[in-house]
C-alpha cells in the first residue's frame, strides 16, 4: 500500500482533506461521549497543516470534517466496537503477505483479549478497492498477531445503515 500524496485544498483534494481531518480528529479525540460541534470545528481547523491550506479553501473541508466526525462519534454501532477494547490509531505495519512485503497504516486497531478488530474509517462512498485494501490489512494483522482472531469493520461516515463487516 503506497503512502498517500500530500493533501491540498479544492475539489477532490478538498474531499481528501476532509477525510484526513476526520482521521486526525478520531486519533486525537477517539469517540467522546458528547461532542460540541463548535469545539470540534475549531480543533479541526487547527489540525490543518500550512501546506494543506492554500488560499484558505480548507474552510469547507474543516466544516465537513467536523460534521462527519460528530456523526461518526455519535453512532452507537461505532461506539460499541471502538469502546470494546483498547484502540490504537494510525498503526503502521510491515508484514509479508503471500510472500510479498506489504506496508500500510491501519486507521484503528481495537485490541481485546482474544481478538483484534480493524476499524477502517472512510468518508467517501463504498468502492470495490476498499474490500481489497482491508483484506490486505486483515492478512497483515493476522500475521502480526496469530494468537488472536482478526475482524475487519468498514465504517462509512456517510452510511447510516450500520457497520459493514469486511472480515471476508
Amino acid at each position: 500500500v503506497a503512502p498517500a500524496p500530500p493533501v491540498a485544498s479544492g475539489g477532490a483534494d478538498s474531499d481528501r482533506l476532509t477525510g484526513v481531518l476526520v482521521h486526525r480528529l478520531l486519533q486525537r479525540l477517539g469517540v467522546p461521549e458528547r461532542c460540541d460541534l463548535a469545539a470540534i470545528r475549531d480543533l479541526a481547523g487547527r489540525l490543518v497543516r500550512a501546506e494543506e491550506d492554500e488560499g484558505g479553501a480548507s474552510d469547507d473541508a474543516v466544516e465537513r470534517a467536523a460534521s462527519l466526525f460528530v456523526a461518526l462519534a455519535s453512532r452507537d454501532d461505532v461506539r460499541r466496537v471502538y469502546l470494546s477494547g483498547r484502540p490504537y490509531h494510525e498503526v503502521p505495519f510491515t508484514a509479508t503477505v503471500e510472500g510479498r512485503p506489504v506496508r500500510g497504516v491501519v486507521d484503528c486497531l481495537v485490541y481485546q483479549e482474544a481478538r483484534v478488530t480493524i476499524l477502517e474509517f472512510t468518508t467517501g462512498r463504498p468502492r470495490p478497492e476498499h474490500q481489497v485494501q482491508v483484506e490486505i490489512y486483515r492478512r497483515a494483522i493476522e500475521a502480526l498477531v496469530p494468537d488472536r482472531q482478526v475482524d475487519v469493520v468498514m465504517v462509512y461516515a456517510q452510511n447510516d445503515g450500520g457497520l459493514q463487516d469486511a472480515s471476508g
Side-chain angles (χ1 to χ4, degrees), residues 17-161:
L17 179 57
T18 297
V20 167
L21 290 173
V22 168
H23 283 83
R24 289 178 188 162
L25 289 165
L26 285 163
Q27 186 174 13
R28 180 74 58 95
L29 301 173
V31 290
E33 192 170 328
R34 292 187 181 89
C35 294
D36 176 337
L37 181 58
I40 301 296
R41 188 182 305 118
D42 179 62
L43 176 57
R46 288 184 278 124
L47 293 174
V48 176
R49 297 178 182 149
E51 66 271 13
E52 297 167 334
D53 191 24
E54 295 176 13
S58 65
D59 292 347
D60 185 49
V62 166
E63 185 67 37
R64 287 182 294 137
S67 294
L68 285 170
F69 172 80
V70 169
L72 279 172
S74 300
R75 285 176 47 179
D76 288 337
D77 56 351
V78 172
R79 294 182 60 73
R80 186 173 37 260
V81 173
Y82 185 90
L83 298 172
S84 68
R86 185 170 181 170
Y88 295 90
H89 292 272
E90 303 299 322
V91 178
F93 67 86
T94 301
T96 301
V97 176
E98 296 178 0
R100 295 184 7 219
V102 177
R103 293 176 45 181
V105 178
V106 174
D107 291 345
C108 183
L109 291 179
V110 179
Y111 274 81
Q112 297 170 299
E113 189 173 320
R115 79 177 51 206
V116 175
T117 301
I118 298 169
L119 279 174
E120 185 63 21
F121 294 97
T122 304
T123 56
R125 301 277 179 215
R127 296 190 328 230
E129 56 266 28
H130 294 160
Q131 188 60 43
V132 173
Q133 176 185 358
V134 297
E135 178 60 19
I136 290 169
Y137 289 1
R138 182 186 62 77
R139 289 182 182 183
I141 299 304
E142 283 177 340
L144 296 171
V145 290
D147 60 325
R148 293 197 168 123
Q149 177 180 331
V150 177
D151 297 322
V152 182
V153 177
M154 289 293 303
V155 182
Y156 290 97
Q158 298 179 15
N159 178 9
D160 293 333

